[in-house]
Amino acid sequence: MLKGKTVLLGITGSIAAYKIAYLASALQKLHADVHVLMTENATNFINPITFETLTGNKCLVDTFDRNFQFQVEHVSIAKKADVVMIAPASANVIGKIANGLADDMLTTTVMACRCRKIFAPAMNTAMYENPIVQDNIKKLQHYGYEVITPASGYLACGDTGAGKMPEPETLLEYILREVAFEKDLSGKKILVTAGPTQEAIDPVRCLTNHSSGKMGYAIAKMAMLRGAEVTLVSGPTAIEPPLFVKVVPVTSARDMFEAVTGVSDQQDIIIKAAAVADYRPKQVSEDKVKKKDDQVSIELERTDDILKYLGQHKKNGQFLCGFSMETKDMIGNSRAKLEKKNLDMVAANNLKVEGAGFQGDTNVLTLITQDEEVSLPLMSKEDAALKILDKIISLMK
Ligand SMILES: Cc1cc2nc3c(=O)[nH]c(=O)nc-3n(C[C@H](O)[C@H](O)[C@H](O)COP(=O)(O)O)c2cc1C
């Protein structure tokens, strides 16, 4: 995912420095060229050898070290960088960079970088809330540097409060958003629906289905990484909401219909990956369902057909994609759906094919449009999401 990208990690004198070993390793696994710059004080917390081993690159601490790979190292490495993340960022380094000081390898290199700079402050709450630190953070933001708001929690110093560096998995997401893909969906608004819906029968039970939400979440994440402004309307799932995506949680088909139709006319692309329950109980029992002779009967009615509504109200230039899950005549049934619901594309899968459909991390899709059918092999849901987006982009040109 990060092949050909150069990521600079700047580490300062904070106890959170050890967490960056995980980040460096994760970036390396995604094939980024990772260079770590440490302040002298940071080397008290974690040894540069850790990073040299993880990244295969020399860890840079001393601006005047002559055992170098580059001509003028801080300038060459700054030119090469696609993104620089200073994490943990100490109060000291934040203050130095905000005020134009460049007196070590890290601060000098950051000063020479033209690429995006992201700071993840980590410090004791009193330090973080100090108005001088806050002014320095505002100054960085004023100059276009991104500063991640630290989390609140138990800090290594024993205090509880703001100042906690986000976990490395979160820091990785910030880097991926910056450099993971070409931003070929920038300026586009995309609405994705995901997960199942739940239709209450009584205060305890509900009608639902096996959708995990994984396909829709993968589409939302990949579209965001490709620069789109993404809204994800999601039924109940066990998945962590993706960062940088506006998530609208819903429960029932009615909730989903309202959430979707409330924003659908502002969207360039709508992808309905949710498995909306087709039926709901006509009346929700106030009390538990009453059984009679071990027989339970519930009167059902159809839920709103969200896709049909979207097809009927499609605005000019809007792209509408639905999913179809079939057990037989996948192509025929999906084509009928394409026509009947005025869709631009159907991503179809056959539930009988191994590796396709609900729950798993993979899918086997056929992308059906007016003019063609493209069968994709078994792949991860993230790769399938990328293929769906590629197809939509090519058809919108
Ligand atoms: C155990 C320990 C933990 C520290 N943690 C932090 C921290 O999280 N954030 C911070 O701004 N300073 C922290 N400091 C203080 C910095 O290390 C100190 O301000 C140092 O001058 C920063 O140097 P640097 O910014 O050049 O890395 C810590 C110091 C010690 C001894």
Side-chain angles (χ1 to χ4, degrees):
M1 202 187 262
L2 295 178
K3 207 170 172 53
K5 298 290 176 187
T6 300
V7 180
L8 303 194
L9 295 177
I11 305 174
T12 72
S14 156
I15 190 72
Y18 76 94
K19 292 190 177 180
I20 305 305
Y22 174 89
L23 178 62
S25 164
L27 288 164
Q28 182 72 16
K29 285 183 189 143
L30 293 172
H31 307 290
D33 183 20
V34 186
H35 293 264
V36 176
L37 308 147
M38 296 175 77
T39 63
E40 194 70 50
N41 288 326
T43 64
N44 288 310
F45 293 85
I46 182 164
N47 196 299
I49 293 173
T50 303
F51 294 109
E52 293 180 352
T53 312
L54 289 172
T55 66
N57 287 318
K58 185 169 160 54
C59 183
L60 306 168
V61 180
D62 178 4
T63 325
F64 300 99
D65 179 3
R66 296 292 84 194
N67 177 13
F68 54 77
Q69 181 187 352
F70 297 103
Q71 274 302 326
V72 179
E73 200 148 23
H74 63 275
V75 176
S76 318
I77 196 94
K79 273 188 190 156
K80 235 175 134 234
D82 293 294
V83 63
V84 47
M85 173 170 273
I86 298 95
S90 62
N92 179 53
V93 156
I94 288 171
K96 283 206 277 189
I97 296 175
N99 291 285
L101 299 184
D103 66 351
D104 61 12
M105 187 63 188
L106 193 162
T107 51
T108 309
T109 307
V110 172
M111 203 67 77
C113 279
R114 288 187 196 277
C115 65
R116 183 85 165 153
K117 297 150 201 102
I118 306 169
F119 284 69
M123 63 197 75
N124 160 272
T125 308
M127 287 173 87
Y128 179 66
E129 289 175 353
N130 187 309
I132 300 175
V133 173
Q134 287 299 315
D135 278 352
N136 286 333
I137 287 175
K138 284 194 195 95
K139 206 163 171 184
L140 289 177
Q141 289 167 329
H142 168 75
Y143 287 109
Y145 294 25
E146 178 161 13
V147 182
I148 303 173
T149 306
S152 283
Y154 179 78
L155 305 172
C157 58
D159 288 355
T160 302
K164 197 174 158 66
M165 187 180 78
E167 293 304 314
E169 293 84 352
T170 304
L171 298 178
L172 178 63
E173 293 299 320
Y174 276 82
I175 292 172
L176 292 182
R177 178 184 57 158
E178 213 47 50
V179 294
F181 293 101
E182 191 195 329
K183 306 299 173 213
D184 50 5
L185 285 170
S186 131
K188 295 269 186 262
K189 286 190 172 181
I190 302 191
L191 174 66
V192 183
T193 68
T197 59
Q198 290 180 351
E199 311 303 325
I201 298 171
D202 65 16
V204 178
R205 301 169 185 83
C206 66
L207 287 181
T208 188
N209 56 62
H210 294 298
S211 169
S212 63
K214 285 179 182 172
M215 192 65 241
Y217 275 64
I219 296 170
K221 181 175 175 182
M222 292 300 146
M224 175 277 293
L225 290 177
R226 290 170 73 158
E229 189 184 323
V230 182
T231 304
L232 174 65
V233 177
S234 172
T237 71
I239 313 176
E240 274 287 300
L243 282 179
F244 319 118
V245 165
K246 184 177 175 214
V247 180
V248 183
V250 295
T251 305
S252 67
R254 188 70 221 171
D255 299 341
M256 188 170 278
F257 180 83
E258 279 166 12
V260 167
T261 54
V263 294
S264 56
D265 62 346
Q266 296 143 36
Q267 308 299 322
D268 299 297
I269 300 167
I270 303 177
I271 304 174
K272 187 213 159 242
V276 181
D278 291 334
Y279 296 96
R280 67 170 159 241
K282 208 162 182 181
Q283 258 185 335
V284 178
S285 298
E286 290 295 309
D287 211 338
K288 285 190 189 173
V289 169
K290 291 186 182 56
K291 288 191 208 164
K292 197 177 162 198
D293 301 333
D294 276 344
Q295 295 279 320
V296 177
S297 60
I298 306 163
E299 211 182 332
L300 298 175
E301 63 182 358
R302 282 205 85 90
T303 54
D304 303 288
D305 188 334
I306 300 176
L307 210 45
K308 189 169 157 201
Y309 177 94
L310 293 171
Q312 284 167 346
H313 296 84
K314 192 159 56 166
K315 65 169 194 177
N316 232 351
Q318 190 174 61
F319 193 99
L320 184 56
C321 170
F323 270 71
S324 100
M325 292 204 149
E326 308 292 341
T327 46
K328 51 180 190 259
D329 192 15
M330 181 184 80
I331 302 289
N333 288 338
S334 303
R335 271 217 173 278
K337 193 170 183 179
L338 186 84
E339 297 302 328
K340 208 169 123 201
K341 301 200 176 177
N342 191 24
L343 309 181
D344 299 291
M345 186 163 89
V346 170
N349 50 27
N350 185 336
L351 287 183
K352 290 197 172 150
V353 170
E354 179 115 358
F358 288 148
Q359 298 288 339
D361 292 326
T362 58
N363 216 343
V364 186
L365 293 176
T366 301
L367 305 183
I368 302 168
T369 57
Q370 211 46 261
D371 302 325
E372 58 176 351
E373 283 147 24
V374 181
S375 296
L376 301 173
L378 176 83
M379 59 180 74
S380 71
K381 285 189 171 163
E382 297 204 337
D383 283 341
L386 290 173
K387 294 285 182 201
I388 290 170
L389 295 170
D390 285 345
K391 191 80 204 154
I392 294 175
I393 291 170
S394 74
L395 291 169
M396 285 183 89
K397 272 182 184 154

